[in-house]
DNA sequence: TATTGTTATACTCTATAACTATA
DNA sequence: TATAGTTATAGAGTATAACAATA
């Protein structure tokens, strides 16, 4: 049977903003998910006008900083499998923002590059991204808090693939 | 045209563990996404034997702590829309872990409860969750670091719905 | 008219298997 | 046999629209 001693109906406001799970410590995972959703939502909203997704923006930046990278390697840096990287990059290539080139040494391999149009767009996007980052630095309270958060988040990834 | 001055091919190891984006500061969003993926992956692995997803585990805990809540309210606490909450709860109800009850006052409303089987399962799951949390507390270095992280993550959610 | 729960549906993200052409 | 890139596809997760019953 069920817990008959429990109240039949409890629909009182769970929390000020309904974020019960946060205040009651329902684990790091849920908190991470909610925080990530908040940041990703803001990013998507700001980049909607340019029709650029978060992964594509990071991709553009990576291509400028490290031109000639292989698809598999870029995908790994973005946390995207090489199979899912294809349509992601195709979206940029179709718009003339980036392109694939063949590699002399290995006829299987490809090298990825940013186009001039991609570089121009990236310059504009970085201003939008700066505003996005500033918003969350403000929410955190200080630049030092942001640095601390970044450090802590980096630690969570350690040993991600190592067996217990 | 493209950046012809760039090297034709650069496939040198981007980073020790290919996490280029982390060390080069590609924004809070990517770091959050990667950290969330690491935590969620560990959770999924540990709960695979019991065929329980993260949202369902949180749901079970919420039902025990606040029995009789309305679906819409529970969904909000979990960050799930009421339309997507239905199949999530159905999965638990079909297995006899939770159930819906009608509410006397309002004939539209439903009240959600944990079953005895659900409570028994939850007790076992909490031990698994404790090991999961301990793993990441260890990665963070200390319990204080975990507390600091939780505080910082909570700040990111502030004003999530407020217009700029 | 608004609200609660629900269905149907679509779109994105992610994951697996298998193919090709090279090596 | 192994690797790089790709294709096709299936499964989650998440989104909107609309409906029935009730307020």
């Amino acid at each position: 049977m069920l817990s008959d001693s429990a109240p039949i109906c409890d629909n009182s406001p769970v929390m000020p903003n309904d974020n019960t799970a946060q205040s009651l410590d329902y684990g790091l995972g849920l908190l991470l998910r909610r925080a990530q959703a908040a940041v990703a939502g803001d990013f998507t909203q700001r980049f909607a006008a340019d029709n650029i997704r978060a992964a594509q923006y990071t991709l553009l930046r990576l291509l400028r900083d490290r031109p000639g990278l292989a698809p598999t390697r870029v995908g790994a840096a973005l946390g995207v499998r090489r199979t899912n990287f294809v349509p992601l990059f195709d979206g940029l290539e179709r718009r003339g923002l980036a392109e694939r080139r063949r590699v002399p040494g290995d006829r299987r391999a490809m090298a990825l590059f940013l186009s001039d149009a991609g570089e121009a767009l990236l310059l504009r996007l970085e201003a939008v991204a700066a505003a996005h980052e500033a918003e969350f630095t403000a929410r955190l309270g200080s630049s030092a808090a942001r640095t601390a958060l970044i450090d802590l988040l980096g630690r969570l990834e350690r040993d991600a693939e190592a067996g217990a």
Side-chain angles (χ1 to χ4, degrees), chain A:
Chain A
M1 296 302 167
L2 297 166
S3 46
D4 290 306
S5 61
I8 300 298
C9 176
D10 172 15
N11 279 337
S12 61
V14 182
M15 270 287 139
N17 197 24
D18 252 341
N19 44 1
T20 304
Q22 177 184 335
S23 52
L24 292 186
D25 185 16
Y26 274 68
L28 194 59
L30 180 60
L31 219 45
L32 263 173
R33 196 178 87 83
R34 293 172 62 104
Q36 200 268 334
V39 174
D42 181 84
F43 189 99
T44 299
Q45 216 170 311
R46 291 176 190 270
F47 282 73
D50 289 292
N51 197 28
I52 289 286
R53 286 172 293 156
Q56 289 177 319
Y57 170 69
T58 309
L59 177 48
L60 288 174
R61 289 197 61 190
L62 195 55
L63 291 180
R64 184 185 55 191
D65 294 350
R66 301 292 305 267
L69 240 44
T72 300
R73 193 164 299 281
V74 176
L78 267 58
V80 173
R81 311 212 161 196
R82 65 188 193 283
T83 178
N84 296 322
F85 179 78
V86 179
L88 183 70
F89 190 86
D90 285 350
L92 296 181
E93 196 171 41
R94 265 195 304 271
R95 292 159 68 180
L97 300 172
E99 83 165 25
R100 295 165 166 93
R101 293 187 200 167
R102 300 231 74 105
V103 172
D106 190 335
R107 280 164 58 191
R108 301 169 300 179
M110 303 292 283
L112 306 181
F113 293 92
L114 208 57
S115 72
D116 289 347
E119 277 195 61
L121 174 64
L122 182 52
L123 281 178
R124 281 206 302 109
L125 294 180
E126 283 179 316
V128 181
H132 164 75
E133 293 290 336
E135 160 70 22
F136 287 94
T137 301
R139 290 191 194 181
L140 289 170
S142 69
S143 184
R146 180 179 185 274
T147 303
L149 175 58
I150 286 176
D151 171 56
L152 290 167
L153 289 175
R155 295 187 206 176
L156 291 178
E157 289 191 63
R158 307 248 191 292
D159 299 320
E161 299 304 315

